[in-house]
Amino acid sequence: GENVEQHPSTLSVQEGDSAVIKCTYSDSASNYFPWYKQELGKRPQLIIDIRSNVGEKKDQRIAVTLNKTAKHFSLHITETQPEDSAVYFCAANFGNQFYFGTGTSLTVIP
Amino acid sequence: GAVVSQHPSWVICKSGTSVKIECRSLDFQATTMFWYRQFPKQSLMLMATSNEGSKATYEQGVEKDKFLINHASLTLSTLTVTSAHPEDSSFYICSAAGGNNSPLHFGNGTRLTVT
C-alpha cells in the first residue's frame, strides 16, 4: 500500500517568514494530494489540494507543489501570521483510500 | 510514535444488523477523537467529534441515533452503525489527538459493506 511521510513534525517560524512542509509518497499511482489544517480542538479542514496532472497550485498565501518523478509534494505558506499556527497534514489518495502524513505542528511566533 | 488502532479493518454485514468499530489510542491519551466517513475518490467527511466523558458532537446531516458514538475512556472511542443498510457501506476512519498542539493521528480505517 501507500506510505506517506511528512516532515518536519514541528516547525516554528517568525511572523512574516515562510513555512514549508514536505511530504513524500511511495505509490506512483496516487493522484490526488490534499493538505489539511487543524486548529486546536477543531476539525481538520482542507486548505489546498493538487492533482497529479498539475505541478503547482496557489491560493493567496498558500501554495502546493508536486514532483511526480520524485514522488514528493510540499506546502508553502508565505507571510505567515499567528493564525496560521495549527497542525497541518498531507495526504495521498490511492484508489478509494487516503493515506495521511503524521502531521506538522506549526507555530508562528509574533 | 503515537499510534491509533482501528478495528476491524473491514466488515461485511447484512442489512438490519449493527456494527461496532473501535478506535484506540495505543500510547497516548486522547480526550478527543474524530470519526470520518469517506466516499470513493473523495476527501474525508467528518461525521462527529467524540469527547471523552461527554456526548459526541455530530456534524449537520449525520444521524446521531444511527451512528452511535461512545468515548468511555481516554484511549477508546467506538462508532456503532445501527440497523445498517447498503447505503451505509463506506470507509470509516477515526483519528485522535494526544494533547495540545499534537499532530492528529488517524486509524487505518474500516471498510464496511452492507449486503
Side-chain angles (χ1 to χ4, degrees):
Chain A
E2 177 66 279
N3 180 45
V4 176
E5 296 187 354
Q6 182 173 345
H7 300 280
S9 58
T10 59
L11 178 61
S12 293
V13 298
Q14 292 289 332
E15 182 178 1
D17 288 351
S18 296
V20 180
I21 303 170
K22 298 181 179 180
C23 286
T24 61
Y25 61 99
S26 60
D27 197 321
S28 58
S30 292
N31 55 14
Y32 173 65
F33 307 92
W35 285 89
Y36 294 88
K37 173 184 179 182
Q38 185 189 26
E39 297 176 324
L40 184 63
K42 297 184 179 180
R43 63 178 180 177
Q45 292 187 323
L46 180 68
I47 57 172
I48 196 168
D49 55 19
I50 191 168
R51 298 194 180 273
S52 59
N53 58 346
V54 176
E56 182 176 2
K57 184 178 179 181
K58 187 174 182 180
D59 182 4
Q60 299 182 337
R61 297 187 296 108
I62 297 174
V64 57
T65 59
L66 171 64
N67 184 326
K68 288 181 59 179
T69 302
K71 294 202 281 287
H72 66 70
F73 56 114
S74 300
L75 177 70
H76 303 253
I77 306 175
T78 59
E79 301 174 20
T80 54
Q81 302 169 2
E83 53 263 39
D84 294 330
S85 296
V87 176
Y88 294 80
F89 53 97
C90 63
N93 177 228
F94 172 65
N96 293 330
Q97 296 187 2
F98 280 85
Y99 296 85
F100 294 88
T102 51
T104 297
S105 179
L106 172 65
T107 302
V108 179
I109 304 168
Chain B
V3 177
V4 172
S5 176
Q6 184 175 342
H7 295 281
S9 58
W10 60 271
V11 58
I12 301 173
C13 70
K14 294 183 178 180
S15 290
T17 61
S18 296
V19 175
K20 179 184 285 188
I21 303 170
E22 292 188 349
C23 184
R24 294 180 182 273
S25 56
L26 297 185
D27 54 358
F28 68 99
Q29 294 183 329
T31 56
T32 304
M33 291 185 174
F34 300 90
W35 287 98
Y36 303 86
R37 181 173 181 177
Q38 182 189 20
F39 295 98
K41 297 189 182 300
Q42 294 186 22
S43 186
L44 293 169
M45 181 189 77
L46 181 66
M47 298 175 64
T49 300
S50 172
N51 301 296
E52 187 271 335
S54 64
K55 293 182 179 180
T57 303
Y58 289 81
E59 295 296 299
Q60 188 175 5
V62 178
E63 300 176 59
K64 61 180 181 181
D65 293 327
K66 180 168 185 62
F67 299 97
L68 300 179
I69 292 174
N70 183 275
H71 194 159
S73 75
L74 287 171
T75 59
L76 173 65
S77 176
T78 60
L79 168 67
T80 301
V81 182
T82 63
S83 186
H85 291 95
E87 58 265 32
D88 298 325
S89 297
S90 191
F91 185 72
Y92 295 87
I93 187 170
C94 70
S95 62
N100 293 345
N101 295 319
S102 295
L104 190 66
H105 304 283
F106 288 87
N108 287 328
T110 298
R111 184 160 301 282
L112 170 63
T113 302
V114 184
T115 60

